[in-house]
Amino acid sequence: MYSDILVIGSGFAAYQLIKSLRRMGNTASISVLCADDGHDYNKPDLSHAFSKQQDAEALITLTAKAFAEEHQIDLFTNHQVTAIDAHAKTLEANGQRFRYGNLVLATGASTFMPQISGDGTDELITLNSLAEYLQYSNRIAAASKVTLVGGGLIGVELALDMAKAGKVVTLIEPSARLMQNLLPDYIEMKLRQTLQQHGITVICGQFVSAVDHKGAEQQIVLNNGQQLTSHATVLATGLRANMSLAQQAGLTTNKGIVVDRFMRSSAKHIYAIGDCAEFNGEVRAYLQPIVISAMALAKTLSNQPTEVNLPQMMVKVKTPEYPIQLAGKTNDADVHHWHYQVDKDGIKAKAFDNNDALIGFVVSGSQVTQAFPLFREL
């Protein structure tokens, strides 16, 4: 079977590209191969689905069949791509051969699996997709005690959501602070206090070394010997780009599939987009860069070569009990000094380099109203 454009993956990046192509009036034949059911859904909703008591169907914005009909594509669900021949412009999936004019890899990313020993590791849970939510939501719903491993953006959001759903939650972060790569220590302290006020036990500076079965529970052992029990253990340990297909095809990879400013990989007629793509040395696993990349790539695939130009990006932490927004460079390694403006309900923190130039900011609580003025200043 031949397609002008063949896409591997059915996540946000893949479907945003297809929507952009059709909005532009591109009538090329498009086929999508995906390993899951292919439904269109909003992935950020996964981090607050438990408190809303949403089942997987409630998260679907458009079924796979409806999406395929609306956008006039051939959608092959539950198809596992096993090999790509970049020279012949073909690939193999489920014993079938597919030919393409242009191939787009939107293979996404998977949860990083830390080294954890014990006979309970087979029950560790990841929630990085609708399919995983469908697989594990009943187990989490039945659990009264939940442990989250990883105190980054997703771990913090999940911890608050599960606490609001009535769970006894423990959050374990190996670094000294929550969201250490994004937040200065003072705002992190306020965030941690908010979590604790909602009954969440926060453990920083320790990592999980073992998970074992203990009757109906799991016994979690930390590297300092501390032990705790849980009914469900969820990994929120960051993402790693899915690159095995690209590597098999001989494409250049690093943190992700390396692409240029046109989202082109190192092989002709093969592009990459989304959580699997490394652009300017970074994997941009956020919605805004994907939307911008999809619009540019849609033009390129429509014979209008268009470079991707990513502007400054605002990040919103979905913690309504203590809202946080940030932009620019906020990692300690990049910041020479911070300037804080604090009131009883919020903090405005501005990051400066050694030339006193503004390079980033973080606002929290009532000060989130200052996010857009600061964003324009940045």
Side-chain angles (χ1 to χ4, degrees):
M1 177 179 177
Y2 173 83
S3 302
D4 295 324
I5 300 171
L6 184 56
V7 181
I8 302 177
S10 62
F12 181 77
Y15 281 179
Q16 194 65 32
L17 173 63
I18 291 167
K19 292 173 186 177
S20 297
L21 285 163
R22 293 311 192 210
R23 278 197 298 266
M24 291 176 55
N26 188 311
T27 59
S29 59
I30 302 175
S31 293
V32 174
L33 299 172
C34 60
D36 57 16
D37 292 332
H39 300 309
D40 188 18
Y41 70 101
N42 186 19
K43 185 177 175 181
D45 288 345
L46 294 175
S47 65
H48 51 76
F50 294 100
S51 62
K52 291 186 176 182
Q53 298 183 336
Q54 292 176 304
D55 59 21
E57 288 187 359
L59 297 171
I60 296 171
T61 55
L62 211 57
T63 66
K65 181 179 178 182
F67 185 90
E69 290 175 351
E70 180 176 326
H71 296 90
Q72 298 182 349
I73 65 172
D74 293 312
L75 179 55
F76 297 86
T77 60
N78 302 303
H79 272 60
Q80 191 71 47
V81 179
T82 51
I84 297 171
D85 188 331
H87 298 290
K89 297 172 70 175
T90 63
L91 59 80
E92 302 286 335
N94 288 27
Q96 295 177 265
R97 175 170 291 185
F98 295 81
R99 297 182 299 118
Y100 62 84
N102 288 299
L103 176 64
V104 180
L105 302 180
T107 49
S110 299
T111 302
F112 170 69
M113 304 299 289
Q115 290 189 333
I116 300 175
S117 62
D119 59 16
T121 55
D122 59 331
E123 292 189 359
L124 295 174
I125 293 171
T126 55
L127 293 171
N128 188 44
S129 67
L130 182 66
E132 290 178 345
Y133 182 83
L134 180 63
Q135 181 179 357
Y136 296 119
S137 58
N138 287 339
R139 273 182 56 191
I140 294 175
S144 59
K145 289 188 292 185
V146 177
T147 299
L148 282 153
V149 182
L153 181 67
I154 300 301
V156 166
E157 292 177 350
L158 281 171
L160 266 173
D161 186 65
M162 291 185 183
K164 288 167 65 177
K167 312 294 183 187
V168 177
V169 178
T170 300
L171 179 61
I172 302 169
E173 166 54 43
S175 300
R177 306 199 310 260
L178 300 175
M179 296 180 61
Q180 181 161 303
N181 292 330
L182 295 175
L183 301 182
D185 54 4
Y186 191 47
I187 290 182
E188 186 273 347
M189 179 186 71
K190 295 294 186 181
L191 173 63
R192 190 188 304 205
Q193 289 174 351
T194 299
L195 298 182
Q196 292 167 338
Q197 287 166 4
H198 283 78
I200 299 168
T201 299
V202 179
I203 301 173
C204 288
Q206 305 294 332
F207 61 85
V208 176
S209 59
V211 177
D212 293 296
H213 293 295
K214 187 178 182 182
E217 297 182 325
Q218 297 169 340
Q219 179 173 274
I220 299 169
V221 182
L222 305 184
N223 60 298
N224 64 353
Q226 181 180 351
Q227 298 182 8
L228 45 129
T229 58
S230 181
H231 297 127
T233 303
V234 181
L235 297 181
T237 44
L239 299 176
R240 295 294 183 273
N242 294 327
M243 301 184 290
S244 58
L245 277 176
Q247 292 167 338
Q248 172 272 318
L251 275 57
T252 301
T253 60
N254 187 31
K255 299 174 187 175
I257 303 166
V258 177
V259 297
D260 65 11
R261 298 192 67 84
F262 296 90
M263 308 308 289
R264 296 178 298 204
S265 75
S266 58
K268 288 185 178 180
H269 303 289
I270 299 181
Y271 302 79
I273 189 171
D275 294 357
C276 68
E278 180 181 327
F279 179 81
N280 280 350
E282 295 182 45
V283 177
R284 305 289 186 96
Y286 293 97
L287 298 187
Q288 184 190 21
I290 293 174
V291 170
I292 293 170
S293 299
M295 290 190 292
L297 180 54
K299 291 179 181 179
T300 296
L301 293 174
S302 302
N303 298 316
Q304 303 172 41
T306 303
E307 292 187 2
V308 175
N309 290 299
L310 296 179
Q312 288 282 358
M313 180 183 65
M314 184 102 75
V315 176
K316 295 182 180 181
V317 186
K318 297 194 297 295
T319 49
E321 295 78 6
Y322 189 67
I324 298 172
Q325 296 186 35
L326 60 117
K329 296 180 179 180
T330 59
N331 191 304
D332 285 345
D334 299 313
V335 179
H336 182 264
H337 62 276
W338 289 92
H339 178 268
Y340 291 97
Q341 180 179 326
V342 182
D343 62 33
K344 63 184 182 67
D345 296 317
I347 302 169
K348 178 168 68 176
K350 300 170 71 172
F352 295 90
D353 63 14
N354 56 2
N355 294 316
D356 283 332
L358 180 70
I359 59 172
F361 69 85
V362 183
V363 289
S364 66
S366 61
Q367 291 286 351
V368 296
T369 58
Q370 298 301 307
F372 283 103
L374 283 169
F375 192 63
R376 286 192 293 270
E377 184 182 347
L378 184 64

